């Protein structure tokens, strides 16, 4: 006999929200004994006159791009929910899962959003002023319109929450540690997904070994993993640290702050703007923050060539550092927009790492094959397409008990 609760689980629909400073990525999953993605899309250019809703789905009518009025995140949510409710008809959204960039020292697992949590997240805003305000606004916008709708926060720092203490500590006066200043690391939803996929592909033995994960996209970071646990990661107290990214600088000499304050009267706010939005690939190339643009121009433009070279060099250095921290490496995983699609970048990163056992098969690499190392390679070099939205949906299903072990259906 079918119970009421099983019908509710079968009908559950989870909306995942990944909010950025000027965009919202979303997806809708049907959740029961498995997860099935039925829609995905973005609201781009929030706050600008030419905001756009882009949708991809399983039905032909769900593949489109059209203008949307979105002067701010609240208006974007209202317009998005109007369309979703119109599209889904009588079967509404059952729950919402949010990617929250920073969980601070407290939050290490997905949790139901409450008034108390929202208050504590506001207190974390100084940790990440670029993301947290908009993420809080999104949760409040949903609550105002649908006060009974459960919302779950999924923290991007959670995967790294239990870093070894030596990796957590920052070499500054101890008093700042009591304020929560430490290495947190980010891209945790992506890394959790990659480790689950690695266990599925390579078995638990492969996932329990010495693994280096390279999430290389507009934001880029690496993580060193052993026995399935994060041992170190390139991002630190903020997502600005680590390797150069599309517009973020990555690691810099902190003395630059004082130098630029003296020579250019640069304020702390201006410095933050520079290292987050004017640096990285954009700052070096002076033309584009997009890796595919730079690769297409590098033969004729030395600035583009140097931006690509710097990115590859710095990622290579972090791989070497993490191999040292782990005592070796058995698996290297590339993910993210660059990691999954830019064969020349992967080849240049791996070139010269033969002393670590890292080699790639050029044909496999050019084809973006799942395994790009030779069959006889000492280190398995893999491409795994990451999926943060799936991890959010799984977390929501588990927190709200829609299903104990939901899996994604094709």
């Amino acid at each position: 006999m079918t119970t009421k609760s099983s019908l509710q689980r079968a009908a559950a629909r989870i909306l995942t929200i990944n909010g950025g400073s000027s965009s919202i990525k979303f997806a809708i999953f049907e959740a029961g004994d498995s997860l099935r993605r039925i829609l995905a899309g973005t609201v781009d250019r929030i706050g600008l006159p030419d905001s756009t809703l882009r949708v991809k789905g399983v039905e032909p009518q769900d593949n489109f791009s059209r203008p949307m009025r979105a002067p701010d995140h609240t208006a974007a949510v209202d317009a998005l929910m109007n369309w979703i409710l119109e599209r889904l008809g009588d079967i509404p959204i059952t729950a919402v899962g949010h990617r929250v960039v920073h969980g601070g020292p407290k939050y290490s697992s997905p949790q139901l959003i409450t008034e108390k949590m929202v208050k504590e997240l506001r207190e974390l805003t100084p940790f990440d002023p670029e993301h947290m305000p908009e993420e809080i606004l999104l949760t409040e916008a949903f609550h105002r319109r649908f006060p009974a709708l459960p919302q779950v926060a999924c923290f991007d720092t959670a995967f790294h929450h239990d870093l070894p203490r030596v990796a957590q500590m920052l070499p500054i006066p101890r008093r700042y540690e009591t304020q929560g200043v430490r290495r947190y690391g980010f891209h945790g939803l992506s890394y959790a997904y990659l480790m689950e996929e690695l266990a599925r592909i390579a078995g638990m033995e492969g996932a329990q070994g010495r693994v280096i994960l390279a999430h290389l996209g507009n934001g880029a970071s690496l993580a060193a993993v052993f026995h399935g646990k994060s041992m170190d990661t390139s991002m630190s107290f903020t997502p600005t640290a680590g390797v150069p990214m599309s517009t973020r600088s990555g690691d810099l000499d902190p003395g630059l702050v004082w130098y630029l304050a003296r020579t250019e009267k640069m304020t702390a706010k201006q410095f933050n703007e520079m290292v987050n939005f004017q640096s990285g690939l954009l700052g070096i190339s002076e033309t584009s923050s997009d890796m595919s643009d730079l690769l297409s121009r590098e033969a004729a433009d030395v600035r583009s060539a140097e931006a690509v070279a710097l990115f590859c060099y710095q990622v290579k250095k972090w791989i070497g550092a993490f191999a040292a921290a782990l005592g070796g490496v058995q698996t290297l995983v590339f993910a993210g927009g660059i990691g999954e699609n830019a064969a020349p970048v992967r080849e240049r990163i791996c070139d010269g790492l033969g002393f670590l056992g890292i080699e790639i098969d050029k044909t496999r690499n050019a084809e973006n094959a799942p395994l790009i190392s030779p069959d006889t390679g000492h280190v398995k070099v893999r491409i795994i397409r990451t999926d943060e939205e799936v991890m959010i949906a799984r977390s929501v299903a588990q927190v709200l008990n829609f299903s104990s072990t939901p899996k994604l259906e094709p």
Side-chain angles (χ1 to χ4, degrees):
M1 181 176 178
T2 303
T3 65
K4 182 178 179 181
S5 61
S6 66
L7 283 172
Q8 288 174 332
R9 285 197 299 271
R13 284 184 167 174
I14 299 170
L15 171 64
T16 66
I17 295 290
N18 188 340
S21 58
S22 62
S23 67
I24 300 172
K25 294 180 183 178
F26 68 91
I28 299 174
F29 296 82
E30 289 185 344
D33 293 330
S34 60
L35 286 175
R36 185 173 73 93
R37 191 191 329 253
I38 58 174
L39 288 171
T42 60
V43 180
D44 294 322
R45 299 177 66 80
I46 295 172
L48 297 174
D50 53 346
S51 302
T52 305
L53 170 65
R54 306 178 194 276
V55 179
K56 291 183 179 180
V58 295
E59 301 295 335
Q61 68 267 27
D62 293 329
N63 293 276
F64 66 85
S65 174
R66 71 186 190 196
M68 170 185 278
R69 185 178 177 278
D72 53 38
H73 283 71
T74 299
V77 164
D78 282 340
L80 175 61
M81 287 306 298
N82 286 340
W83 178 81
I84 289 174
L85 293 174
E86 177 186 336
R87 169 65 182 84
L88 297 184
D90 295 333
I91 306 178
I93 296 297
T94 315
V96 182
H98 296 266
R99 171 181 174 260
V100 178
V101 170
H102 219 303
K106 178 175 180 178
Y107 292 106
S108 59
S109 61
Q111 295 189 33
L112 195 65
I113 296 176
T114 63
E115 286 186 23
K116 180 182 177 183
M117 177 191 285
V118 171
K119 181 180 178 181
E120 291 173 339
L121 292 180
R122 281 201 184 94
E123 293 172 356
L124 289 176
T125 297
F127 285 35
D128 189 359
E130 311 301 335
H131 297 96
M132 294 297 286
E134 285 78 12
E135 290 169 355
I136 294 169
L137 284 174
L138 287 171
T139 67
E140 292 176 329
F142 276 101
H143 181 70
R144 279 194 299 271
R145 183 158 181 184
F146 306 101
L149 187 66
Q151 300 187 72
V152 174
C154 304
F155 299 98
D156 218 20
T157 51
F159 184 78
H160 309 292
H161 187 267
D162 296 320
L163 282 172
R165 179 156 172 76
V166 70
Q168 282 187 16
M169 293 188 297
L170 300 181
I172 57 178
R174 276 184 179 269
R175 65 181 181 272
Y176 294 107
E177 188 176 14
T178 63
Q179 301 174 25
V181 179
R182 49 159 279 196
R183 182 180 300 275
Y184 285 98
F186 301 89
H187 289 139
L189 291 168
S190 174
Y191 290 140
Y193 178 84
L194 295 177
M195 290 306 298
E196 287 192 9
E197 282 295 286
L198 182 60
R200 184 183 66 82
I201 295 166
M204 288 306 297
E205 183 178 353
Q208 291 292 308
R210 294 172 171 84
V211 180
I212 297 176
L213 305 173
H215 177 111
L216 308 179
N218 285 331
S221 71
L222 292 89
V225 181
F226 188 45
H227 291 316
K229 303 292 184 181
S230 179
M231 307 304 291
D232 205 346
T233 186
S234 58
M235 286 179 171
S236 186
F237 178 66
T238 75
T240 313
V243 299
M245 304 169 226
S246 59
T247 63
R248 295 178 188 148
S249 64
D251 286 350
L252 289 175
D253 179 348
L256 271 174
V257 178
W258 177 226
Y259 170 78
L260 293 174
R262 286 183 291 119
T263 60
E264 298 191 7
K265 309 300 182 187
M266 184 177 286
T267 66
K269 183 177 180 180
Q270 290 170 330
F271 185 84
N272 181 70
E273 180 79 12
M274 181 188 76
V275 298
N276 277 291
F277 303 108
Q278 302 166 10
S279 299
L281 297 178
L282 177 63
I284 295 296
S285 70
E286 297 184 313
T287 55
S288 177
S289 62
D290 187 273
M291 179 61 77
S292 59
D293 288 346
L294 301 178
L295 287 170
S296 68
R297 298 170 183 168
E298 64 176 342
D301 180 5
V302 66
R303 298 169 301 169
S304 295
E306 288 181 342
V308 176
L310 178 62
F311 179 85
C312 296
Y313 174 68
Q314 292 293 336
V315 173
K316 181 186 296 189
K317 280 175 60 177
W318 277 96
I319 291 172
F322 283 167
L326 291 171
V329 56
Q330 294 162 303
T331 302
L332 171 62
V333 176
F334 286 102
I338 297 172
E340 295 166 13
N341 302 302
V345 172
R346 292 192 301 264
E347 181 176 349
R348 293 174 203 183
I349 289 170
C350 293
D351 183 39
L353 294 180
F355 72 99
L356 293 175
I358 295 174
E359 301 176 58
I360 62 171
D361 180 293
K362 291 188 177 182
T363 300
R364 290 178 175 178
N365 186 49
E367 295 171 350
N368 295 328
L371 180 69
I372 61 173
S373 54
D375 291 333
T376 57
H378 176 69
V379 175
K380 299 296 183 186
V381 184
R382 300 183 182 276
I383 300 171
I384 300 179
R385 298 194 175 275
T386 194
D387 198 328
E388 294 171 329
E389 284 71 30
V390 166
M391 291 307 299
I392 296 171
R394 286 178 182 168
S395 297
V396 173
Q398 290 168 353
V399 169
L400 299 177
N401 200 29
F402 292 152
S403 175
S404 57
T405 54
K407 298 179 181 178
L408 180 68
E409 288 184 354

